[in-house]
Amino acid sequence: MRVATVVLGLLLTACSGAPVTLANKTDEPRFPAPERPIARIVSPRWSTEEARDRLREADKVMDLARIQPGMTVADIGAGEGYYTIRLASRVGAKGRVLAEDIVPQVRDALAQRVTRERLDNVSVRLGEADDPELPENSFDRVLMVHMYHEIEQPYEFLWNLRPSLKTDGAVVVVDADRSTQNHGTPPALLECEFAAVGYKRIELRSMPSAGGYIALFRPEGPRPEPQAIKPCRIAGGAG
């Protein structure tokens, strides 16, 4: 088996087989700021992998997200790679996983793990805080596990993320039902912020084994103009 590459270009070629157009990135801060606290990034690890596997966390999340062999999946805020490794196994040799983190040292450590474990269907890259910079029309699922509350510009991030989804693609969020400043996101606030950028919630389930809940969203209708996005004011955002 070939050593896994950390170069995004190979993944993009495999995803589309054609020249890649990146999602639009704005040059000016035209997006509204969130009207609630942003949690600091404190650790690349939410819990130990052994503890999470005892609860079958990843299997349950992937089942509810309907992740199948052959899919192309992005793991945003991948951290130490708990989901990256298990997604690679789930999508199989014909699938692809793009693991992304915005902390260079975390990205580098994950890239070393991917190489060490010879995960030929995984690429690792450094993302931007306000834009995952994913190729358009390329992903069946985009996972954000216990990290949404850490996104500094959620409206801009979600706006830039939309074009990367395939027609039937979905964003999968796993988070705790508590205030954002306490490293969670109340489900009503999450739904409001996604809706503000033109996403519709298609699933919401309690998931104690994953530390909170799982929610799935799909784009619906045209992507709004950035200046038309209204920030959400939902009780519980500040806790």
Side-chain angles (χ1 to χ4, degrees):
M1 183 179 291
R2 292 180 292 112
V3 175
T5 178
V6 298
V7 179
L8 178 60
L10 295 183
L11 172 68
L12 304 187
T13 301
C15 290
S16 64
V20 172
T21 301
L22 293 179
N24 293 332
K25 182 172 178 64
T26 59
D27 296 323
E28 301 295 335
R30 298 178 293 150
F31 294 84
E35 296 189 0
R36 44 85 169 175
I38 305 297
R40 293 189 306 109
I41 299 175
V42 295
S43 173
R45 172 187 296 180
W46 180 71
S47 179
T48 67
E49 297 196 9
E50 294 78 9
R52 298 171 87 170
D53 278 346
R54 282 197 295 271
L55 297 172
R56 296 188 60 248
E57 177 191 332
D59 286 338
K60 292 176 182 178
V61 167
M62 291 188 293
D63 287 347
L64 288 173
R66 295 179 286 281
I67 294 174
Q68 305 293 331
M71 281 187 168
T72 300
V73 181
D75 183 11
I76 306 298
E80 295 181 340
Y82 174 74
Y83 273 90
T84 299
I85 305 306
R86 289 151 183 83
L87 285 167
S89 177
R90 174 67 67 99
V91 303
K94 294 184 178 181
R96 293 291 183 271
V97 177
L98 172 60
E100 182 174 289
D101 207 280
I102 66 171
V103 181
Q105 299 92 326
V106 173
R107 183 276 314 267
D108 293 346
L110 178 54
Q112 292 172 6
R113 180 179 184 180
V114 166
T115 299
R116 186 171 60 251
E117 299 192 21
R118 296 180 177 272
L119 299 177
D120 198 40
N121 60 347
V122 176
S123 290
V124 182
R125 71 184 297 270
L126 191 67
E128 297 289 340
D130 59 359
D131 187 350
E133 297 184 330
L134 301 178
E136 292 187 3
N137 192 34
S138 296
F139 293 90
D140 299 289
R141 299 289 185 271
V142 174
L143 265 68
M144 296 191 287
V145 180
H146 290 293
M147 57 76 67
Y148 181 80
H149 48 267
E150 298 172 348
I151 300 175
E152 294 182 2
Q153 298 292 335
Y155 302 109
E156 184 171 3
F157 186 92
L158 294 175
W159 193 90
N160 285 319
L161 176 64
R162 269 192 55 155
S164 70
L165 292 167
K166 294 181 181 179
T167 301
D168 59 348
V171 180
V172 182
V173 177
V174 176
D175 215 340
D177 184 2
R178 54 176 177 254
S179 65
T180 54
Q181 67 186 14
N182 291 319
H183 289 270
T185 310
L189 175 63
L190 181 74
E191 184 168 354
C192 181
E193 292 186 346
F194 268 78
V197 192
Y199 293 82
K200 178 181 180 181
R201 178 176 61 79
I202 58 174
E203 186 100 43
L204 175 64
R205 294 198 188 189
S206 174
M207 281 202 71
S209 60
Y213 63 87
I214 180 173
L216 276 67
F217 297 88
R218 282 203 175 107
E220 182 177 66
R223 187 168 59 162
E225 291 298 321
Q227 60 270 23
I229 297 171
K230 304 298 182 184
C232 297
R233 297 179 179 177
I234 301 292

